[in-house]
Amino acid sequence: MISDYMARLDDHVKFLHATRQPPFSIHFHLHQGCEIYFLIRGDVNYFVDKAVYPLQHGDLVITNEHEIHKPALTTDAVYERVTIEFDPALIALFQTADMNLLQCFYDRPIGEHNIIKLSEHDQTALSALFAKYADLQKQPFPEAPLLKLGCLLEILVLVQRCFHKNKEKESRLDLPPQLSPILAYLDQHLAEDLSLERLEGLFFISRFHLSRLFKKHTGSTIHEYILYKRIALAKTLLREGRSVTEASMDAGFNDYSGFLRVFKKKVGLLPRQYAKQHQTTAPK
């Protein structure tokens, strides 16, 4: 099993250190596995599910494949970050009764405790490990995948320790009082009609004002948010063993062929492929 991962490690672990100059927009998205996000430069509010985290330089954000998320840039300052996306099934191979490096990614409610405030010492240690991984990416020798995996495990050990050490230091931005009940409603009624017209009638708010308000505070549209929430729910249902048809209907996709098309586009796999792959490899 481990040899299969080692032969294609870069397909299962995607490391990126990137710098960009705003303005540009980043949409809501989901990953196939877990993500570590480390902010180096930039002014960012990070949106995960219904939470908005104001980030400072050196903050860490962790998400799993069920959490829709996006960074929203609040100024035109240079934006630099490191991200690592990885397949949790690979890391689960190293799980023991006393060690679970995926705990901080899954053993918490969706959209809660995503931000990790790092001490200066931990920022330095993590930055050194990121630099080590980046350097290994440039090395073509046969042992490089093994060394990259070892470096990733070191990173995950440090992330896990920092998560438990700093769990109570989480800070969030409060969403406008008009938005909070609407997001809570969306969460509980994803299988129903969630058109702007219906939300307008339910919450006595102009659909135009709602659209502007949502865009202002998240940088994206409410339609996009609902779409990714429904995909996240469909992924959960498929992992639990529901049929593709059931997952489609229960997640609010009334057009079956449309569901297949958008799921493949956003997740990278057809729902049946996703179910087959993840029902057997989902971390516990």
Side-chain angles (χ1 to χ4, degrees), residues 219-238:
S220 294
T221 67
I222 194 165
H223 171 75
E224 183 188 41
Y225 176 81
I226 292 170
L227 175 64
Y228 275 99
K229 288 291 289 183
R230 284 173 165 164
I231 292 173
L233 176 56
K235 289 170 69 175
T236 298
L237 296 172
L238 290 168

Side-chain angles (χ1 to χ4, degrees), residues 54-67:
L55 299 189
Q56 297 178 334
H57 306 166
D59 282 349
L60 200 69
V61 180
I62 55 173
T63 52
N64 63 45
E65 66 270 28
H66 306 297
E67 295 176 306

Side-chain angles (χ1 to χ4, degrees), residues 33-46:
C34 300
E35 182 184 51
I36 297 168
Y37 170 103
F38 181 72
L39 180 65
I40 299 173
R41 284 187 292 170
D43 298 314
V44 179
N45 288 336
Y46 207 95

Side-chain angles (χ1 to χ4, degrees), residues 25-234:
S25 59
I26 304 169
H27 299 294
F28 285 111
H29 55 276
L30 287 161
H31 298 296
Q32 290 193 38
C34 300
E35 182 184 51
I36 297 168
Y37 170 103
F38 181 72
L39 180 65
I40 299 173
R41 284 187 292 170
D43 298 314
V44 179
N45 288 336
Y46 207 95
F47 194 102
V48 184
D49 203 68
K50 298 185 294 295
V52 182
Y53 300 99
L55 299 189
Q56 297 178 334
H57 306 166
D59 282 349
L60 200 69
V61 180
I62 55 173
T63 52
N64 63 45
E65 66 270 28
H66 306 297
E67 295 176 306
I68 67 169
H69 57 277
K70 70 181 295 294
L73 308 184
T74 59
T75 72
D76 287 344
V78 174
Y79 175 52
E80 183 179 5
R81 81 285 188 200
V82 168
T83 59
I84 303 180
E85 298 174 41
F86 64 90
D87 185 345
L90 167 61
I91 305 306
L93 294 175
F94 301 92
Q95 182 172 317
T96 68
D98 300 318
M99 182 184 69
N100 178 5
L101 295 179
L102 295 171
Q103 183 183 25
C104 62
F105 291 89
Y106 293 100
D107 191 14
R108 53 180 177 74
I110 294 291
E112 294 186 23
H113 302 298
N114 298 92
I115 186 172
I116 303 176
K117 294 288 185 180
L118 302 176
S119 67
E120 188 173 335
H121 176 270
D122 290 331
Q123 287 182 33
T124 300
L126 198 57
S127 295
L129 288 170
F130 289 150
K132 179 180 177 181
Y133 199 103
D135 187 58
L136 288 168
Q137 281 192 308
K138 305 170 188 174
Q139 308 298 329
F141 53 83
E143 300 84 1
L146 182 62
L147 294 175
K148 284 193 281 189
L149 177 58
C151 185
L152 175 61
L153 292 174
E154 281 191 79
I155 290 169
L156 290 172
V157 168
L158 181 54
V159 169
Q160 182 92 315
R161 288 177 177 173
C162 292
F163 174 80
H164 290 293
K165 184 166 57 176
N166 299 294
K167 192 173 180 180
E168 303 308 318
K169 297 181 181 178
E170 178 175 280
S171 60
R172 299 188 188 193
L173 288 177
D174 291 328
L175 288 170
Q178 288 173 297
L179 273 186
S180 295
I182 296 175
L183 294 184
Y185 180 86
L186 296 179
D187 228 19
Q188 299 299 317
H189 298 84
L190 286 171
E192 301 176 13
D193 172 20
L194 296 177
S195 64
L196 285 172
E197 291 80 4
R198 183 150 192 267
L199 295 175
E200 181 179 56
L202 286 171
F203 292 94
F204 305 102
I205 180 174
S206 158
R207 71 191 77 174
F208 306 107
H209 180 59
L210 173 58
S211 296
R212 286 194 298 269
L213 196 63
F214 195 88
K215 181 76 172 178
K216 175 182 177 181
H217 288 276
T218 70
S220 294
T221 67
I222 194 165
H223 171 75
E224 183 188 41
Y225 176 81
I226 292 170
L227 175 64
Y228 275 99
K229 288 291 289 183
R230 284 173 165 164
I231 292 173
L233 176 56

